[in-house]
Amino acid sequence: RYKELLDFKAANNHCCVPRSAGSLGAWVEKQRSEYKKFDAAFSEKEDQEVDGKSSAKEKNITILTKERVQKLNAIGFAWDVREHQFQEMMEELRVFQTLNGHIDPRFMSGKLAFFVRRCEQQYRKYVNTPSDSTEAFGI
């Protein structure tokens, strides 16, 4: 499947294979799911031993190995698609600001304008949420 992923990346310039892409999409989702287990097993130290076993695979926690993770990282595999998409939009916003000197969504179009407006909404929601009151807990 790794070869299929490389072919997909060559054709699409990214590794965010949609679930609807058949067996490759299912494989990519499986890698992400297994990575969560891998990451949890080594959250404090990447090379730490788990109950005397030197890898999460030996412990039967996940099918992923450190080498497989490194191989996928090397081709720009996105373990968290939402975070990846957020970072892409932030980079697009940085470019827009560099070229235009502002980030006013009234002068943007498409995805970037939607992204900025959504960030503004989330910020307003965050700022208007009471933090030290019992109202935040519905009391």
Side-chain angles (χ1 to χ4, degrees):
R1 298 277 177 211
Y2 182 77
K3 171 75 170 100
E4 286 180 57
L5 181 59
L6 289 175
D7 293 343
F8 180 90
K9 182 179 181 179
N12 298 283
N13 203 30
H14 63 80
C15 295
C16 294
V17 181
R19 290 181 193 145
S20 61
S23 60
L24 181 59
W27 181 81
V28 164
E29 282 300 308
K30 178 72 171 170
Q31 303 314 296
R32 290 187 180 119
S33 172
E34 292 295 318
Y35 182 74
K36 289 175 186 172
K37 297 175 193 174
F38 178 90
D39 193 41
F42 297 107
S43 60
E44 291 182 20
K45 184 178 175 191
E46 196 173 6
D47 294 328
Q48 90 184 43
E49 291 189 8
V50 180
D51 291 345
K53 304 283 184 169
S54 61
S55 72
K57 187 172 182 177
E58 288 176 12
K59 181 77 171 128
N60 292 322
I61 293 172
T62 177
I63 61 170
L64 279 182
T65 62
K66 183 178 176 182
E67 293 74 25
R68 185 182 286 185
V69 169
Q70 289 171 339
K71 199 172 176 182
L72 289 167
N73 284 342
I75 64 166
F77 188 80
W79 297 106
D80 183 334
V81 176
R82 284 186 180 198
E83 177 64 21
H84 178 75
Q85 291 169 337
F86 177 82
Q87 293 302 329
E88 281 186 336
M89 292 307 297
M90 287 300 294
E91 182 56 30
E92 192 173 327
L93 184 58
R94 283 184 202 97
V95 169
F96 182 91
Q97 183 181 26
T98 299
L99 294 174
N100 299 285
H102 66 83
I103 56 170
D104 189 337
R106 294 175 298 167
F107 300 97
M108 299 174 190
S109 61
K111 287 176 154 182
L112 188 58
F114 178 80
F115 173 75
V116 171
R117 286 188 178 103
R118 183 75 173 141
C119 287
E120 289 172 339
Q121 289 171 352
Q122 293 300 312
Y123 176 75
R124 280 193 295 275
K125 188 186 274 186
Y126 171 77
V127 168
N128 293 326
T129 301
S131 59
D132 288 340
S133 74
T134 55
E135 291 176 39
F137 298 102
I139 299 173

